[in-house]
Amino acid sequence: MKAIQTTKAVVMLNWHVLAFGHGTYSSKMLKTVLLRVLLTLPSPVEAGYPSPAASSAAIPASQVIQDVSAKTLDRKVIEDHLSVQAIIRSYQLRGHFLAKTDPLGMDSSAEPTHRFVRQLESYHLDASDMERIFTLPQTTFIGGQETALPLREIIRRLESVYCSSIGVEYMFINDRQKCDWIRKKFETPGIIQFTKMDKRLVLERLIRSIKFEEFLARKWSAEKRFGLEGCEVLIPSLKAIIDECSGQGVESFVPHAIGKGRLNVLANVARKPLESIFCQFDSKLEPTDELLRLWLNETFEVMLDKLFLVDSSRQGSGDECPNSWRSAFLTGCRYETFHLSDLPEYSTHGTIHIVVNNQIGFTTDPRVARSSPYCTDVARVVNAPIFHVNADDPEAVMYVSQVASQWRCHFGSDVVIDLVCYRKNGHNEIDEPMFTQPLMYKTIKKHKSVLEMYADAKIEEGIMTQQEFEEEQANYEKICEDAYQNAKKIENTKNAEWLDSPWTDEDTLAHIGGKFSQLPEDFTIHGGLKRILKARSKMIDNREADWALGEALAFGSLLKDGNHVRLSGQDVERGTFRFLHDQSARLVMWEAQFGDFSNTAQCIIDQFISSGQAKWVRQSGLVMMLPHGYEGMGPEHSSARLERFLQMSIDDPDIIPDIEAEDFVVQQLYNSNWQILNCTTPANLFHAMRRQIKMTFRKPAIIFTPKSLLRHPEARSSFDDMIEGTYFQRLIPELGVATEKPSNIERLIFCSGRVFYDLLKERKETQKEDRIAIARVEQISPFPYDLVDAECRKYSNAELMWVQEEHKNMGAWTYVQPRIQNLMGGQTVRYSGRSSAAATATGNKSVHTAELRKFLNVAMKLD
Ligand SMILES: *[C@@H]1O[C@H](CO)[C@@H](O)[C@H](O)[C@H]1NC(C)=O
Ligand SMILES: *[C@@H]1O[C@H](CO)[C@@H](O)[C@H](O)[C@H]1NC(C)=O
Ligand SMILES: *[C@@H]1O[C@H](CO)[C@@H](O)[C@H](O)[C@H]1NC(C)=O
């Protein structure tokens, strides 16, 4: 559940504008998927399950029985045929549990319960039946041209198809055609064949893969490189996929998260120049090559998180090349990636998932890490076939890679390769694995490398001579050595190819008119919406915008300027966005899933959004709209956790920037890691969105959005605040009577967000409009020092107070307090708001109201 939420946050990283909508995601989403699966469960026949009458479906059952009795068929013959059919089905269903996929031969996933597959007596047959000839059912292709085989041969063939180096897991797929497709690919006798050339190529690729790691190990023995040792076959496998897919017309490949062996993949698959890889080790690093740097420098756990989340983010960039077939790889099996796999606008039309399954995570054994037999079990939810394969059998791996590629090209859906391998070293090269996995590592120590084994076999087979083999190795060695020497000459490894393409800065200011209140011609809408449109049209006649229109105008004007706007988040098409969504057929308006509670997306926010530029060298103009507010709706509606975002903002409270500097505002924003905004007017929201595009650089914007302001009569803006010459206001100063005699003002309140309207009302009711001034901080971070300073100076006799509706240990208090205080030379800032609490809000309406009452009283009580 947690992981699912996280996906949604990052999905947008590459987009110009993104809004997260309202509503929760995970449980709903799961339910939908489960329901879908349940509803579409096929009949046994469709599912490819042999049913005795399946092949003679046209013949009524009664007739079959008559026929049988007419010919007085031996009852035992029928029963024995059914038994043989059951044997075949057992292998198809459970053979993978018995397959020899573990190179170390230690795998214990073959539970005793699976043993019956091989026990004749469980099918009421015995050794005396072995030579009897049985007609094969239509649900198998093991016969090839033959329709009947002796039982001994049937079992032999089943054993070789299902229980050797490949474990094919597919019988859960609820589509007979797909099951047959796979059966054909694996059961057809003699289908797995490689030419001499193919085998040689595999051997050459293996040499590169292994020698690369050896070279690094030799040159930098004290460095962590998270090498591929134990799964070197990944390189030929990736190459085989690329070969096969290219052959089928695939034009581009999008590799996702590659875990171990990343450097090897860069060198031998992506063909990154070896020089620029080697020089990374010699501290001539430039931050531009962060991916590698992180790889070399950080701990594996962090990497796991980071890299393994990347694939979901790539999945979100669904329209990168909308019409060209894309292929994608990644290591690891992430639940959310599978769930995104078939969503409109998210689908990659099939991802090839490769699990580098070293049978250990870091130090945790699988049996205490998850509750299902395979780490790939999550793929079953989307009906992706799973091919478990022994990484020590390169030809089996090649075959599986090819079939996976064909599946991807044929069906356009996900497929999984579970490369069962081992980890030769510890979780990195410096780590001692004997501490945690003594038994396994005893076995590993004695284990021959895949290259040794494969080379021996192929030399014997005459694919390559011993001499050629040695030459091949020496050649690659020399390539590495040359690159190593060249790398020393590289002064600066700043390589532009890893940088973002710069964002274009379009300069148009929108002409925004009544478009949003008119219906396009051929458009039918719900009656309720008509009413909304009418009200909107009236608003527009008055040259006004409410919250929804403010948003609509921002998106509309950006689209008009040719910008791509993508909205993502569950329920974004409801509420404020509804009208826009109706136009989405023509405007590019995306809609996807995101819940309103960003908390479970915290790791994405940490990894990509708060630190995106510093760590990943990627500027992001992402907008996160997080519904938040204290409206008596309970803790789940007040949990956007503003304080966390503020805590991660990088400006130092003890350093007051030079507010006199000419470019203070731009510079301050440029230096920050993101913007934390809390708008109180539609016009300001409008400007906040547009600014995202109009700025010459990108900063993520976290915007806290209120529910109640959607319909708040005072939360309206005139068009005058949106037309040319207007701009985003980082702070909206007091505008009322308090400005007339500033020296009379006894208290200056700073606040942010919707609580402003409560304060306004309260001030009016208590008739303090000439004694209390209220300023709204719309951009909380980076902190608008200059404007706060101006307000404070204006009301120079006033005491300062911060009012928030959040609890004291939440909200913006701890962020603004030291900043205002330092700015004002130590002047005290008073607090009015809810007191500290563990939960974000009370669920009890009357307690909620009492709390509100209390802090409003404090805010208005002058002593
Ligand atoms: C590696 O990490 C350490 C500790 O986090 C840091 O001090 C150092 O600068 C990093 N080195 C590189 C090359 O990034
Ligand atoms: C931010 O805005 C939201 C929504 O208007 C509001 O509920 C919240 O109190 C504001 N938070 C702060 C710290 O100003
Ligand atoms: C809500 O809080 C009030 C005041 O503490 C209390 O009297 C009331 O019973 C509570 N209501 C519920 C439903 O718990």
Side-chain angles (χ1 to χ4, degrees), residues 507-573:
D507 63 313
T508 40
L509 212 108
H511 247 306
I512 30 183
K515 273 250 150 117
F516 282 105
S517 59
Q518 294 162 13
L519 268 187
E521 271 160 29
D522 49 344
F523 214 78
T524 345
I525 56 160
H526 188 271
L529 286 176
K530 279 201 185 124
R531 224 173 339 126
I532 293 178
L533 287 188
K534 215 159 166 196
R536 183 166 287 174
S537 152
K538 202 161 149 226
M539 217 159 22
I540 287 161
D541 290 342
N542 295 334
R543 304 184 65 253
E544 260 189 353
D546 63 0
W547 205 263
L549 189 55
E551 256 167 24
L553 291 176
F555 295 143
S557 64
L558 289 171
L559 289 167
K560 194 162 173 294
D561 293 351
N563 295 297
H564 186 106
V565 177
R566 178 172 175 169
L567 294 182
S568 181
Q570 194 161 42
D571 295 347
V572 288
E573 61 188 288

Side-chain angles (χ1 to χ4, degrees), residues 33-48:
V33 172
L34 285 179
L35 261 182
R36 203 176 69 185
V37 171
L38 288 177
L39 289 176
T40 54
L41 264 187
S43 70
V45 177
E46 259 183 314

Side-chain angles (χ1 to χ4, degrees), residues 376-431:
T376 52
D377 285 330
V378 292
R380 296 168 64 118
V381 296
V382 297
N383 280 303
I386 303 160
F387 306 133
H388 309 278
V389 60
N390 187 324
D392 268 0
D393 183 343
E395 286 170 26
V397 175
M398 291 314 109
Y399 188 69
V400 154
S401 307
Q402 286 168 359
V403 172
S405 311
Q406 290 159 4
W407 170 279
R408 170 14 181 117
C409 296
H410 190 78
F411 295 108
S413 65
D414 287 23
V415 50
V416 180
I417 300 174
D418 177 18
L419 270 182
V420 187
C421 54
Y422 55 93
R423 198 183 61 181
K424 195 155 176 210
N425 302 308
H427 88 281
N428 61 53
E429 289 71 22
I430 316 298
D431 179 59

Side-chain angles (χ1 to χ4, degrees), residues 77-273:
V77 171
I78 299 178
E79 275 174 1
D80 289 352
H81 267 85
L82 292 179
S83 293
V84 170
Q85 203 167 46
I87 292 179
I88 295 173
R89 193 167 133 73
S90 286
Y91 275 96
Q92 292 173 333
L93 258 175
R94 299 192 179 77
H96 57 89
F97 285 121
L98 304 169
K100 294 188 270 298
T101 52
D102 177 12
L104 304 177
M106 301 177 75
D107 182 28
S108 57
S109 67
E111 302 284 328
T113 45
H114 300 307
R115 288 199 199 124
F116 81 90
V117 173
R118 284 187 172 135
Q119 287 159 355
L120 279 183
E121 56 277 21
S122 35
Y123 311 96
H124 308 289
L125 294 170
D126 59 43
S128 67
D129 296 309
M130 287 301 259
E131 307 309 328
R132 282 172 65 198
I133 296 190
F134 289 90
T135 304
L136 294 165
Q138 292 193 347
T139 50
T140 186
F141 296 89
I142 53 166
Q145 303 296 328
E146 290 151 290
T147 54
L149 289 173
L151 180 56
R152 180 181 303 283
E153 180 63 11
I154 292 176
I155 292 178
R156 194 193 65 78
R157 292 190 186 182
L158 289 171
E159 278 285 330
S160 94
V161 170
Y162 289 106
C163 302
S164 52
S165 298
I166 302 173
V168 196
E169 199 185 346
Y170 67 103
M171 288 289 279
F172 56 87
I173 297 175
N174 49 30
D175 180 321
R176 167 133 193 200
Q177 201 203 342
K178 291 182 173 173
C179 285
D180 277 348
W181 190 93
I182 292 175
R183 275 194 269 258
K184 250 189 217 144
K185 291 284 178 196
F186 289 92
E187 291 185 349
T188 308
I191 194 164
I192 307 190
Q193 271 188 4
F194 291 95
T195 64
K196 216 176 143 177
M197 285 277 287
D198 294 336
K199 293 177 184 173
R200 202 183 159 99
L201 194 61
V202 173
L203 193 51
E204 284 167 5
R205 286 172 173 172
L206 263 184
I207 291 174
R208 289 186 164 237
S209 172
I210 290 200
K211 289 292 148 185
F212 177 81
E213 298 295 350
E214 283 183 9
F215 187 82
L216 294 186
R218 206 165 55 239
K219 295 287 184 198
W220 295 276
S221 54
E223 293 283 350
K224 298 176 190 174
R225 73 201 131 80
F226 302 102
L228 202 51
E229 283 97 340
C231 196
E232 292 95 339
V233 77
L234 176 69
I235 301 298
S237 167
L238 286 174
K239 296 283 248 188
I241 288 171
I242 293 175
D243 292 347
E244 182 70 32
C245 289
S246 318
Q248 307 239 0
V250 171
E251 287 164 7
S252 66
F253 297 85
V254 183
H256 291 181
I258 290 156
K260 288 222 170 213
R262 190 180 185 88
L263 296 176
N264 205 329
V265 171
L266 282 171
N268 286 319
V269 180
R271 287 297 168 96
K272 186 175 169 69

Side-chain angles (χ1 to χ4, degrees), residues 628-630 642 678 704-706 752-754 802 804-806 811-812:
H628 174 75
Y630 281 69
L642 185 66
N678 214 9
F704 294 87
T705 57
S752 183
R754 59 167 292 284
W802 172 260
Q804 69 176 23
E805 49 184 15
E806 282 87 355

